[in-house]
């Protein structure tokens, strides 16, 4: 589904799957695509989310693609697989203005491009704060994409602060225990991981794989 409004006090428990391997697939445990300035508050999804696409699409445990608004007290616990941008909570997060705050993801994440335990790709005006990712994160890409225990690619204007990851991480040209690729002038503040293994291809780090701050 797709929405441009505000959603609060909502939950979903069923699994979400798509069989087509076509471009433009956005799938989430609660919402496939979130546009507009409205926020998602006190929302959750517990089902697994999977798509057949190996080359495109944004896939998240809660929301697949976000172009507007933020998420506060969001929770996703299902495993997430498939897609170009894959995250335990959000696959692709690029709001004109919006942040992710006090949110958690617990499922394992496996994708084919940018992948993160919390968010696969984050870029835009806002920040990610006081949130956790608990699952393992893997990407089959062996080239230039980014894979992180919490965030695969981070390019937001605001700080990544108070964020932790727990799962092991593997794959990608930029691979980190918390962030795969940090492409932002903002600071990393109070971030941590309890992963026992972080493995990648080119730039690999216990906290950050590659930073161009």
């Amino acid at each position: 589904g797709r929405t441009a409004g505000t959603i609060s006090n909502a939950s979903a428990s069923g699994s979400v799957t798509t069989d087509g391997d076509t471009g433009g697939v956005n799938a989430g445990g609660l919402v496939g695509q979130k546009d507009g300035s409205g926020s998602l508050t006190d929302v959750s999804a517990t089902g697994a989310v999977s798509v057949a696409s190996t080359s495109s699409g944004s896939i998240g445990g809660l929301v697949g693609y976000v172009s507007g608004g933020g998420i506060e007290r969001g929770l996703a616990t299902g495993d997430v697989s498939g897609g170009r941008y894959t995250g335990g909570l959000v696959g692709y997060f690029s709001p004109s203005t919006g942040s992710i705050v006090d949110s958690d993801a617990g499922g394992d994440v496996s994708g084919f491009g940018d992948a993160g335990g919390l968010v696969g790709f984050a870029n835009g005006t806002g920040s990610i704060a006081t949130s956790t990712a608990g699952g393992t994160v893997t990407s089959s890409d062996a080239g230039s994409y980014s894979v992180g225990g919490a965030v695969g690619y981070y390019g937001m204007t605001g700080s990544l602060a108070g964020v932790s990851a727990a799962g092991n991480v593997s794959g990608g040209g930029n691979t980190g225990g918390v962030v795969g690729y940090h492409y932002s002038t903002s600071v990393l503040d109070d971030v941590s991981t309890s992963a026992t293994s972080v493995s990648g291809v080119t730039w690999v780090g216990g906290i950050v794989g590659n930073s161009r701050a």
Side-chain angles (χ1 to χ4, degrees):
R2 182 176 183 179
T3 182
T6 296
I7 299 176
S8 60
N9 298 302
S11 63
S13 58
S15 61
V16 176
T17 61
T18 66
D19 296 327
D21 188 7
T22 59
V25 175
N26 297 319
L30 186 72
V31 178
Q33 180 168 331
K34 169 67 179 68
D35 302 313
S37 60
S39 61
L40 303 181
T41 306
D42 295 312
V43 291
S44 65
T46 59
V49 182
S50 63
V51 301
S53 177
T54 62
S55 60
S56 64
S58 302
I59 318 303
L62 187 70
V63 186
Y65 181 97
V66 177
S67 67
I71 299 173
E72 185 172 2
R73 295 185 299 278
L75 172 66
T77 59
D79 295 340
V80 183
S81 61
R84 165 68 173 79
Y85 306 101
T86 313
L89 189 78
V90 179
Y92 191 103
F93 186 71
S94 186
S96 54
T97 302
S99 298
I100 295 175
V101 182
D102 296 332
S103 296
D104 306 292
D108 294 335
V109 176
S110 60
F112 301 93
D114 294 323
L118 193 68
V119 180
F121 182 98
N123 189 41
T125 303
S127 62
I128 299 177
T130 54
S131 299
T132 64
T136 61
V137 184
T138 61
S139 175
S140 63
D141 172 72
S144 61
Y145 295 128
S146 306
V147 186
V151 182
Y153 176 98
Y154 190 84
M156 302 198 75
T157 58
S159 298
L160 186 71
V163 172
S164 64
N168 292 337
V169 185
S170 65
N174 310 294
T175 307
V178 177
V179 183
Y181 193 179
H182 182 252
Y183 194 74
S184 171
T185 57
S186 66
V187 299
L188 294 173
D189 181 24
D190 189 25
V191 298
S192 64
T193 180
S194 57
T196 59
S197 174
V198 178
S199 59
V201 179
T202 307
W203 291 282
V204 185
I207 294 293
V208 181
N210 189 358
S211 179
R212 298 293 180 93

